[in-house]
Amino acid sequence: MTADRPPRVLVTNDDGVHAPGIRALARAAYERGLDVVVAAPRHEASGMSAALSAVTDDGRLVFGETELDGLPGVPAYAVAASPAYIAILAGLGVFGPVPDLLLSGINRGANAGHAVLHSGTVGAALTAGNNGIRALAVSLDVLTPAAAASAGSGGAAIAVLDSVDDESRHWSTAAELAGRLLPWLAGADPGTVLNLNVPDLPADQVAGLRQATLAPFGQVQVSVAERGEGFVRTAVEENAVRAVPGTDIAWLADGYAAVTAIRALGHLPDVELPVDG
């Protein structure tokens, strides 16, 4: 970044390029004077972590220009690839100048605890960070308010998620809090990655923003609902483990937004292994 130009920002997600959350996040960056470009999957690509998958035509990765409602001046691309792959393409200059920042989200559902390992939203941010780009993953906790329950009992809300119009959710609350973090992130060390989770509430009902650690579990867990000869059927249900104070899930349960500095996987330097020499 230089003083004579605004930071270049690539906005992506895993809910698809026309999901309401990405529009809110792109708008937050645009309204703060950043140079914004959007590139996101053509279709939903949730749960892909940092997978590098794409649809190709004769070896060519396919993407096309599109337009986001309310952001006619912002270049936008629908890409036949996973979020992490899009982050790599952005770092190669495929969508214009290499971005200074990558914003991923706003995801429909919290990405909290060690379950962030499986998130396509977080996977894009970690991939960008691994390539020296500052990144922020943003998610909206749609479970807690929907069931008037705590984040720790989020599974109780799963059955009613689809009964709520996604356009009516409080994307602007998450976008505003993400915007507050952008000046800090722009001045952070290259490769810094933040993970922000925000309650699905009006801004004035969010208790505040807290720095958090990752909970040792996610909001929900996968269970075996049925098994038989040659098949298994799984279900997503409440994780009944008690929230650990100071973690992202605990802060969400108390009505706070939570932000965590995270990093991609690395080796463990202090582990002695039984190798030759």
Side-chain angles (χ1 to χ4, degrees):
M1 289 178 289
T2 61
D4 60 349
R5 67 169 179 85
R8 173 79 166 175
V9 180
L10 187 286
V11 185
T12 192
N13 72 352
D14 71 0
D15 287 333
V17 68
H18 292 295
I22 198 170
R23 298 198 303 268
L25 190 56
R27 186 177 300 109
Y30 179 79
E31 291 177 347
R32 285 163 175 78
L34 280 65
D35 179 18
V36 178
V37 60
V38 174
R42 290 190 302 184
H43 308 292
E44 183 175 352
S46 299
M48 296 202 72
S49 186
L52 301 181
S53 63
V55 176
T56 58
D57 181 4
D58 194 25
R60 299 174 178 178
L61 195 155
V62 179
F63 66 90
E65 293 187 39
T66 187
E67 186 172 300
L68 301 186
D69 292 343
L71 290 167
V74 174
Y77 301 93
V79 189
S82 61
Y85 207 150
I86 291 170
I88 288 179
L89 295 175
L92 295 173
V94 171
F95 309 111
V98 174
D100 303 297
L101 307 173
L102 180 139
L103 307 181
S104 186
I106 301 167
N107 190 66
R108 177 184 181 261
N111 281 303
H114 286 189
V116 298
L117 173 67
H118 310 294
S119 165
T121 303
V122 178
L126 288 173
T127 300
N130 196 47
N131 289 288
I133 298 173
R134 303 163 181 87
L136 170 64
V138 187
S139 302
L140 191 69
D141 179 12
V142 301
L143 294 182
T144 302
S150 72
S153 61
I158 293 171
V160 299
L161 279 181
D162 291 334
S163 68
V164 178
D165 179 8
D166 274 346
E167 295 289 345
S168 70
R169 297 189 184 280
H170 299 92
W171 306 107
S172 61
T173 300
E176 191 277 328
L177 285 169
R180 282 173 46 185
L181 291 169
L182 290 181
W184 182 94
L185 183 62
D189 291 338
T192 297
V193 179
L194 302 180
N195 185 44
L196 172 66
N197 285 284
V198 180
D200 184 16
L201 296 169
D204 60 1
Q205 293 182 28
V206 177
L209 176 62
R210 293 291 185 266
Q211 183 169 348
T213 57
L214 290 177
F217 50 85
Q219 272 191 319
V220 295
Q221 64 184 6
V222 176
S223 65
V224 175
E226 181 184 4
R227 69 177 73 208
E229 186 66 32
F231 80 93
V232 64
R233 182 170 60 85
T234 62
V236 178
E237 63 180 25
E238 171 187 354
N239 193 327
V241 179
R242 185 179 181 86
V244 179
T247 63
D248 43 14
I249 288 180
W251 284 122
L252 286 172
D254 289 336
Y256 289 87
V259 61
T260 307
I262 59 176
R263 64 179 181 180
L265 294 176
H267 74 284
L268 297 174
D270 299 325
V271 175
E272 294 292 337
L273 299 174
V275 298
D276 295 337

